[in-house]
């Protein structure tokens, strides 16, 4: 036990809590990357896109890993927005709304699928349904992108969280000092603040990607 642990016996517990929260944050990040790659697979298969998988880089900075996610999401959003714009221009408003609510009648599907084929080169139930789902859930993509931007910029947290991909030793080292107790408390507070926004946004994002994937797979079988 170091001298700081002697004077501040709660410090070891705080360190353990910091490590736990760091791993929780890291797991959320990895799950978001995994969900994004699932979305990429679905879009590549059903909309003839050519997006590349993204990967977390261990040992890289939080900012750099957030940047990878943000850049990928911007590309996906741009593709969805391009398709959405074309559909709004080429479809009657009522038909466009039916697409978003997935309530197309057989005769409606023929019209919409023809437009989708002109945009994406494919005209299947899966591709048409996917377009409607992605446009309808576009705000979810925006929410997770915004959250990653805040974290990457350090506006949600910037102390221990900044080295979340640098290894536990570096996280602990980053908060060591003559006033370790205060640093530990500050780091824990920042983790709590970041997780309070990042966790629900991540769960919602992952749920919606899973929903889209399951929906399309069910239709395509």
């Amino acid at each position: 036990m170091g001298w700081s642990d002697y004077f501040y016996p709660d410090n070891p517990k705080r360190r353990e809590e910091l490590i736990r929260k760091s791993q929780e944050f890291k797991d959320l990040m990895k799950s978001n990357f995994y969900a994004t790659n699932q979305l990429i697979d679905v879009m590549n298969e059903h909309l003839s896109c050519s997006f590349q998988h993204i990967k977390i880089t261990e040992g890289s900075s939080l900012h750099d890993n957030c940047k990878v996610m943000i850049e990928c999401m911007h590309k996906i959003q741009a593709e969805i927005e391009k398709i959405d714009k074309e559909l709004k221009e080429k479809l009657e408003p009522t038909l466009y709304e039916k697409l978003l609510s997935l309530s197309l009648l057989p005769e409606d599907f023929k019209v919409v699928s023809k437009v989708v084929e002109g945009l994406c080169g494919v005209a299947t139930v899966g591709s048409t349904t996917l377009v409607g789902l992605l446009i309808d859930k576009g705000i979810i993509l925006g929410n997770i992108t915004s959250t990653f931007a805040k974290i990457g910029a350090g506006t949600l947290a910037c102390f221990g969280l900044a080295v979340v991909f640098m290894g536990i030793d570096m996280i602990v080292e980053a908060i060591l000092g003559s006033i370790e107790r205060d640093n530990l408390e500050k780091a824990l507070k920042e983790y709590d603040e970041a997780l309070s926004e990042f966790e629900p946004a991540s769960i919602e994002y992952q749920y919606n990607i899973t929903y889209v994937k399951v929906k399309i797979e069910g239709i395509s079988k």
Side-chain angles (χ1 to χ4, degrees):
M1 178 183 288
W3 71 266
S4 62
D5 292 349
Y6 178 81
F7 288 106
Y8 305 112
D10 287 338
N11 275 357
K13 185 168 66 176
R14 292 191 183 98
R15 288 194 205 100
E16 290 179 4
E17 181 70 4
L18 185 66
I19 291 171
R20 186 187 68 77
K21 289 182 183 296
S22 171
Q23 189 59 51
E24 182 180 347
F25 192 91
K26 198 171 184 179
D27 289 343
L28 284 171
M29 291 278 287
K30 288 183 176 180
S31 294
N32 286 329
F33 271 59
Y34 177 76
T36 301
N37 286 333
Q38 287 189 308
L39 175 61
I40 284 172
D41 287 341
V42 172
M43 292 184 69
N44 286 349
E45 179 180 355
H46 295 281
L47 299 181
S48 300
C49 296
S50 56
F51 295 117
Q52 299 296 313
H53 275 197
I54 57 176
K55 184 178 179 181
I56 281 179
T57 304
E58 300 284 352
S60 188
S61 68
L62 175 67
H63 173 77
D64 288 342
N65 278 300
C66 285
K67 186 177 179 181
V68 170
M69 178 71 168
I70 292 168
E71 288 179 350
C72 178
M73 294 308 298
H74 281 166
K75 291 177 182 178
I76 291 174
Q77 286 175 300
E79 182 67 23
I80 295 171
E81 288 170 2
K82 182 181 75 173
I83 294 173
D84 186 28
K85 181 180 178 182
E86 291 288 338
L87 288 171
K88 283 180 178 177
E89 291 178 354
K90 296 180 179 181
L91 295 178
E92 293 293 330
T94 53
L95 197 54
Y96 176 79
E97 291 301 322
K98 283 185 178 182
L99 170 63
L100 299 192
S101 63
L102 302 182
S103 59
L104 292 173
L105 298 173
E107 57 269 26
D108 298 329
F109 174 77
K110 290 181 181 179
V111 177
V112 176
S113 62
K114 188 174 182 179
V115 176
V116 172
E117 182 179 20
L119 297 174
C120 307
V122 289
T124 65
V125 175
S127 60
T128 302
T129 302
L130 179 58
V131 166
L133 286 169
L134 291 178
I135 294 172
D136 185 50
K137 298 186 180 301
I139 188 171
I140 302 301
L141 304 182
N143 286 345
I144 198 67
T145 304
S146 174
T147 305
F148 263 91
K150 290 179 183 178
I151 292 169
T155 55
L156 288 182
C158 59
F159 195 56
L161 187 60
V163 290
V164 70
F165 285 103
M166 299 292 190
I168 297 302
D169 291 342
M170 292 189 69
I171 294 174
V172 174
E173 182 181 347
I175 60 171
L176 290 176
S178 59
I179 52 172
E180 184 187 6
R181 182 191 63 177
D182 293 336
N183 283 341
L184 280 167
E185 289 177 346
K186 178 181 179 183
L188 285 170
K189 181 180 179 182
E190 289 182 346
Y191 268 95
D192 285 338
E193 290 174 352
L195 284 169
S196 69
E197 180 165 347
F198 190 55
E199 184 173 25
S202 297
I203 291 173
E204 185 178 24
Y205 173 68
Q206 292 164 30
Y207 169 82
N208 279 281
I209 297 303
T210 300
Y211 174 82
V212 169
K213 187 171 183 291
V214 170
K215 188 80 173 179
I216 298 304
E217 288 179 346
I219 291 173
S220 302
K221 287 181 180 179

